[in-house]
Amino acid sequence: MSKSLLDLETILRACNGVVIGNASECHFTSVATDSRNVVKDTLFVPLIGEFQNGHKYIPQAAANGASVVLVNRDEATEDFASFASVVFIAVDNTLHALQAIAREYAIKVASNMIRVSITGSSGKTTTKEMLVAVCKEHFGQDAVAYTRGNFNSETGLPLSMFQIRGDEKIGIFEMGMNRVNEIGEISAVWQSQYGIITNIGNAHIGILGSRQNIALEKRKSFDYIPQTGAAFVPQDDDFASVCLEKVCGQKVLYGKNVPEAQSGVKFIVDLGFAGTRFALDGVEITLPLAGEYNYVNALGVIALAKKLGISAAEIKAGLEKMAAVNGRMEVKKAVLKSGVSATVVCDCYNANPDSMIKVIDFCAGLKDAGQKIFVLGDMKELGEKSAAEHANVGKAVVNAKADCVILAGPEMIECKKVIENTGICVEYSKDNDEAFYTAAAKKILDCAEQNAVILIKGSHSMALEKIIPLIMAEGKEAAE
């Protein structure tokens, strides 16, 4: 039998818990917050959300093999005697208990690891994947623990901790947020020695209220960096100094305007959809991810990697293996169902004002591109700033000299108001339903000419990626 991830005494001490019921043998080898993911010997943590109370799924979790279950004290009203083999632990708050237990596990298995955190308003997942690729070249393919998927939240990061085996050399974990102090809580779980903040944008400004507040929240990811560690922020970000306040370790600025003598990096050429070519300490590297913003994120990765003693050759090997993360700036050269060849840019995983305008500006700056057709969906969680930010997207579209724009979502009406009467063909739908996807696809196929660039960008809930199979001819790729 596999050894338990933690013993009962450690759990009770970490979360100020008390055992209720009759069982006493505490043994678990996995952790889950969804009863459907529970298998034999799982610690099940029922969470209370806006629409669901996980405590009602305790019987299902027990039936699936849960061996340990956390219970909020005010929910511990049932008779747990029928679950004779399950250890029930009463706690004040199951979410906070999960975080505290995850912290104990991280102390147990990761104390001798290099611990890295990555956060920012946009680009953190791609930055993480770049750093992981580079570190695998240096430390070994199995020596890097890291965030899988987008498990970077108040629950996702603690669950990620339990994926650490303990024999890795370095751990690289994302930190995301949807509320005040979420970064503070999960930073306390991981307590990184090195950290990158990719940028301070307007994502979640409806929740935090201002970019200043977003910066104050993001910088909490640096709270535990020791004097021997380092914090990395982009030089050109206007909140760089705010992010670096109170940092105990070294403060490192990175970016395209940092002198080569300091960074070791010399820009060579923007390759458009093919990425960026540059040299690092004389070693030429081609980053195969399009966009200046991906290049800047790579510069942050390079600065941290060099601090860890990773060579230019290893950095080159890692970066040149990169591919676009699913749903994030995926570039597809394909034949459309209308028979014309086009480049489809799918950036549908998420959208905020910063990432939206960056990708529009990227498309605007492409050399030798044909028509520019933009399909744009609502950006979420902008609060009272929403109207102004969607209007700013309209201004970016006009500056990009788009040929055709298709908009979806109630907030995009503000974008439409800016675009209409400028000579740009614009279509608008308040809804993102099947009728919209079909109509949008028809419009694209009717107006797309040879060598068109089709950008599809919106928040994840807009599901704009559903348009792609409606316009692309199956199995046909465009000639390079």
Side-chain angles (χ1 to χ4, degrees), residues 69-110:
V69 175
L70 301 186
V71 183
N72 276 357
R73 295 184 200 279
D74 56 5
E75 297 280 343
T77 56
E78 290 190 30
D79 179 8
F80 296 116
S82 59
F83 306 105
S85 61
V86 180
V87 176
F88 288 89
I89 300 174
V91 298
D92 290 333
N93 179 293
T94 52
L95 170 61
H96 296 159
L98 170 64
Q99 294 171 345
I101 294 168
R103 174 60 196 147
E104 284 298 319
Y105 184 72
I107 291 172
K108 174 184 175 182
V109 299

Side-chain angles (χ1 to χ4, degrees), residues 101-387:
I101 294 168
R103 174 60 196 147
E104 284 298 319
Y105 184 72
I107 291 172
K108 174 184 175 182
V109 299
S111 292
N112 295 323
M113 289 171 56
I114 299 168
R115 300 187 302 280
V116 179
S117 67
I118 298 175
T119 191
S121 294
S122 60
K124 53 186 173 289
T125 298
T126 301
T127 301
K128 175 214 46 181
E129 293 295 332
M130 284 194 279
L131 184 59
V132 167
V134 166
C135 287
K136 283 184 174 182
E137 295 295 326
H138 179 76
F139 295 103
Q141 293 298 306
D142 297 322
V144 185
Y146 56 96
T147 305
R148 307 291 175 146
N150 64 334
F151 271 53
N152 61 16
S153 65
E154 60 187 3
T155 57
L157 184 131
L159 290 175
S160 294
M161 295 295 97
F162 295 106
Q163 301 301 313
I164 300 172
R165 299 187 311 271
D167 58 352
E168 300 95 338
K169 297 290 186 3
I170 186 170
I172 303 166
F173 289 92
E174 279 183 59
M175 294 183 180
M177 68 173 188
N178 285 297
R179 61 173 175 81
V180 174
N181 201 41
E182 187 168 0
I183 293 285
E185 290 178 9
I186 59 181
S187 181
V189 173
W190 182 227
Q191 298 192 11
S192 58
Q193 300 161 313
Y194 299 88
I196 296 176
I197 294 178
T198 59
N199 51 39
I200 301 299
N202 289 328
H204 311 303
I205 199 166
I207 299 170
L208 277 295
S210 68
R211 289 182 66 223
Q212 172 82 14
N213 289 341
I214 292 170
L216 293 175
E217 182 66 24
K218 293 292 187 183
R219 82 174 186 192
K220 292 177 183 177
S221 63
F222 294 160
D223 278 354
Y224 297 90
I225 292 176
Q227 288 185 337
T228 53
F232 300 78
V233 299
Q235 181 190 54
D236 294 340
D237 196 289
D238 49 348
F239 284 90
S241 60
V242 175
C243 291
L244 291 173
E245 286 178 9
K246 302 179 182 178
V247 169
C248 292
Q250 185 179 0
K251 302 174 183 180
V252 180
L253 296 172
Y254 66 87
K256 55 188 176 62
N257 293 318
V258 174
E260 180 184 356
Q262 180 179 334
S263 67
V265 177
K266 180 180 180 180
F267 173 82
I268 298 176
V269 64
D270 183 341
L271 301 171
F273 284 123
T276 304
R277 184 174 297 136
F278 61 96
L280 172 62
D281 298 334
V283 176
E284 192 167 303
I285 300 172
T286 299
L287 176 70
L289 301 180
E292 182 182 275
Y293 47 93
N294 279 323
Y295 172 55
V296 172
N297 289 336
L299 294 177
V301 168
I302 290 166
L304 197 156
K306 292 186 73 173
K307 185 64 62 178
L308 298 179
I310 300 177
S311 69
E314 291 166 327
I315 293 171
K316 171 184 172 70
L319 290 181
E320 292 191 343
K321 290 178 180 177
M322 282 297 300
V325 180
N326 187 35
R328 295 173 170 90
M329 198 59 180
E330 291 181 275
V331 178
K332 306 173 187 289
K333 291 184 178 294
V335 177
L336 302 185
K337 289 182 178 180
S338 59
V340 305
S341 296
T343 301
V344 180
V345 181
C346 177
D347 200 353
C348 302
Y349 184 80
N350 214 338
N352 58 57
D354 184 58
S355 64
M356 183 76 82
I357 290 175
K358 280 180 178 177
V359 74
I360 290 171
D361 289 347
F362 166 74
C363 291
L366 289 170
K367 298 179 178 66
D368 303 321
Q371 282 174 305
K372 298 180 182 68
I373 301 172
F374 298 160
V375 185
L376 308 176
D378 275 359
M379 303 176 290
K380 306 295 185 179
E381 298 179 346
L382 297 178
E384 63 182 17
K385 307 279 188 181
S386 184

Side-chain angles (χ1 to χ4, degrees), residues 23-43:
S24 59
E25 183 180 347
C26 177
H27 179 270
F28 68 99
T29 55
S30 64
V31 181
T33 58
D34 187 329
S35 61
R36 294 169 295 185
N37 296 332
V38 171
V39 295
K40 187 178 184 296
D41 292 334
T42 294
L43 165 62

